Amino acid sequence: MHSVLLVAPHNSYRIHAYIEASKHLDVELVIASQSEYSLVSAVADGIQIDFADDDISLQRILEANQRHHFQAVITSDDGGVRLAAKVGQALGLSANHPDSAELTRRKDLARSRLQACGVPVPAFKLVNLKQELANQLQGITYPVVVKPLSMSGSKGVIRVDNQQQCIKALHRVEKIQAHVSHPVERDSVLLESYISGEEVAYEGLLHQGKLKQLTIFDKPGPMEGPFFEETYYVTPSRLSDKEQALIEARVAEACAAYGLREGPIHAELRLQGDEAYIIEIASRTIGGDCADMLKFGLNIGVEELVLLQALGKPVDIPVLKKSVGVLMIPIPSQGVLRRVEGISQAKKVEYITDVGISVRDGYELTPLPEGSSYLGFIFAKAPTAELVEHALRQAHACLNIRIAPSFKLFKA
Ligand code: ADP
């Protein structure tokens, strides 16, 4: 039996899907995670690691390898990409180089690399939060996007239209990343010129440096900020063949510039004028519940494709058979979630396949830019992408999200 190591944060949304995929393929899946408190037995029985300490984690994984003889290493989330690359290197498996993996995590280094390789990127500048700000902002043309160097899920990402807003946003992001241990990542922020065009997500698989497309999602807007929730993902894309070819070409160039060679790719791009600008490249599948929805369209889970490819088996990428889409329901305001009303009406909307709320009643909600998660999801499947988008919007309109203000007795 083949044995595959999955490096995954214990709260990853994707662990379950990888467990199911490995059972289906009759592959042993060993999970390396912060497993001590996990209720999921495959995580609790896996390898206990510490994502803050790659050396100790690597050591424990190498010890476990004596028993399991891993044939492949994969990861589910951004947080595991660097460690998985180090494991791959140490065990001589086909995996990305740790330096390439690091570029998918550090936005400033990634921007510099793309620019050096001639891949179109928005103009960018690194700002040091410990130095006088107004001086550093001289000559900037607004609007710009302020973003942390190494966070994800749009946390701390803020669009600003003038210097006053920019300074306010920089102070806000400084608080959001105050706990980050790496000094450069804690004390710096990236500024990027705002790309106003349509956004898309590209999903693909890399093998020996060659990129194969799974699909392109449109992300119908508006996504103009100041904060950038994940909202609608609808596939197949309604963009022209020429635009889709440009997107694929830019993603392939970016992967080559990073030096990425193996595994899943999730990229976000924005189109402006005749160009497609890379917003980010991640070395994992699409996040959260979105990957489940892709299964409806492809008739096979993305995780199964990832496992097959990691084991060096032939991977036939299926053609998308239906139009599918998801709305990641944004958190509308700060407070305590009382209840979500209208779920049964939303489920009855034509073409809606599922509505799920991931947060329990009574939980404190924190919207972006300080928060990072979404409230739940709505899935749709229909004969056309237009109908999918329409159904998602209609179902969302049925929901009434009741949030009570939260009062803190003591100031934190
Ligand atoms: P994260 O990794 O936290 O998701 P991203 O850099 O991907 O951060 O940005 C999150 C979202 O913010 C993007 O999906 C996009 O909608 C918006 N965004 C980021 N950078 C830009 C930019 N330069 N121009 C326009 N929108 C941007």
Side-chain angles (χ1 to χ4, degrees), residues 332 337-343 345-346 357 375 395-403:
L337 179 65
R338 283 283 164 246
R339 63 189 170 277
V340 180
E341 297 167 349
I343 297 177
Q345 286 101 303
I357 303 299
L375 197 63
H396 189 215
C398 295
L399 299 183
N400 186 6
I401 301 160
R402 298 277 191 179
I403 296 172

Side-chain angles (χ1 to χ4, degrees), residues 1 5 73 80 162 164 172 184 200 212 219 231 277 330 388:
M1 196 188 209
L5 176 74
V73 54
N162 55 51
Q164 201 188 357
R172 198 164 174 179
V184 175
V200 295
K212 279 192 193 169
K219 295 178 73 177
T231 54
Y277 293 89
V388 166

Side-chain angles (χ1 to χ4, degrees), residues 60-181:
R60 293 199 181 136
I61 290 170
L62 295 183
E63 280 161 24
N65 182 56
Q66 307 285 333
R67 296 190 301 283
H68 296 282
H69 307 290
F70 300 122
Q71 272 117 330
V73 54
I74 57 173
T75 184
S76 56
D77 295 69
D78 290 327
V81 167
R82 187 180 52 196
L83 179 59
K86 288 185 180 175
V87 173
Q89 195 179 46
L91 296 180
L93 303 172
S94 61
N96 290 316
H97 191 279
D99 293 347
S100 306
E102 180 67 356
L103 290 175
T104 66
R105 206 185 62 80
R106 272 287 294 269
K107 297 180 198 297
D108 55 327
L109 303 179
R111 287 292 183 232
S112 302
R113 175 63 66 88
L114 291 179
Q115 192 177 52
C117 294
V119 183
V121 282
F124 62 94
K125 182 183 169 80
L126 205 60
V127 168
N128 185 331
L129 294 167
K130 299 294 167 206
Q131 288 173 8
E132 218 269 312
L133 295 178
N135 273 344
Q136 297 181 73
L137 300 182
Q138 271 176 21
I140 295 223
T141 309
Y142 294 90
V144 298
V145 174
V146 172
K147 57 171 86 167
L149 303 190
S150 61
M151 292 192 166
S152 55
S154 299
K155 190 167 180 170
V157 179
I158 308 174
R159 171 198 160 145
V160 294
D161 293 337
N162 55 51
Q163 179 163 325
Q164 201 188 357
Q165 287 179 5
C166 188
I167 291 182
K168 242 174 113 178
L170 288 170
H171 289 309
R172 198 164 174 179
V173 176
E174 187 172 14
K175 284 195 196 130
I176 294 173
Q177 58 189 33
H179 67 280
V180 172
S181 54

Side-chain angles (χ1 to χ4, degrees), residues 107 122 145 147 151-155 157 192-195 199 219 223 228 268 270 279-280:
K107 297 180 198 297
V145 174
K147 57 171 86 167
M151 292 192 166
S152 55
S154 299
K155 190 167 180 170
V157 179
E192 282 184 5
S193 58
Y194 174 73
I195 307 291
E199 187 160 322
K219 295 178 73 177
M223 298 183 72
F228 298 91
E268 311 244 331
R270 280 193 174 216
I279 299 295
E280 77 161 335

Side-chain angles (χ1 to χ4, degrees), residues 215-280:
T215 201
I216 296 178
F217 287 99
D218 291 336
K219 295 178 73 177
M223 298 183 72
E224 293 167 354
F227 314 126
F228 298 91
E229 289 109 354
E230 305 279 14
T231 54
Y232 297 90
Y233 286 81
V234 180
T235 190
S237 171
R238 284 165 274 174
L239 293 172
S240 68
D241 289 350
K242 193 174 159 207
E243 287 167 313
Q244 295 195 35
L246 176 67
I247 289 163
E248 178 148 75
R250 291 290 175 255
V251 175
E253 287 162 16
C255 290
Y258 283 29
L260 292 169
R261 296 186 55 76
E262 295 293 338
I265 290 293
H266 165 74
E268 311 244 331
L269 302 93
R270 280 193 174 216
L271 298 164
Q272 187 174 270
D274 288 335
E275 198 41 89
Y277 293 89
I278 301 283
I279 299 295
E280 77 161 335

Side-chain angles (χ1 to χ4, degrees), residues 314-355:
V315 179
D316 281 330
I317 297 195
V319 179
L320 200 69
K321 297 213 173 54
K322 295 150 195 139
S323 296
V324 291
V326 62
L327 166 65
M328 313 299 284
I329 306 167
I331 293 176
S333 60
Q334 174 84 42
V336 174
L337 179 65
R338 283 283 164 246
R339 63 189 170 277
V340 180
E341 297 167 349
I343 297 177
S344 48
Q345 286 101 303
K347 282 184 176 170
K348 282 185 201 140
V349 171
E350 193 176 13
Y351 304 124
I352 294 299
T353 55
D354 200 6
V355 180

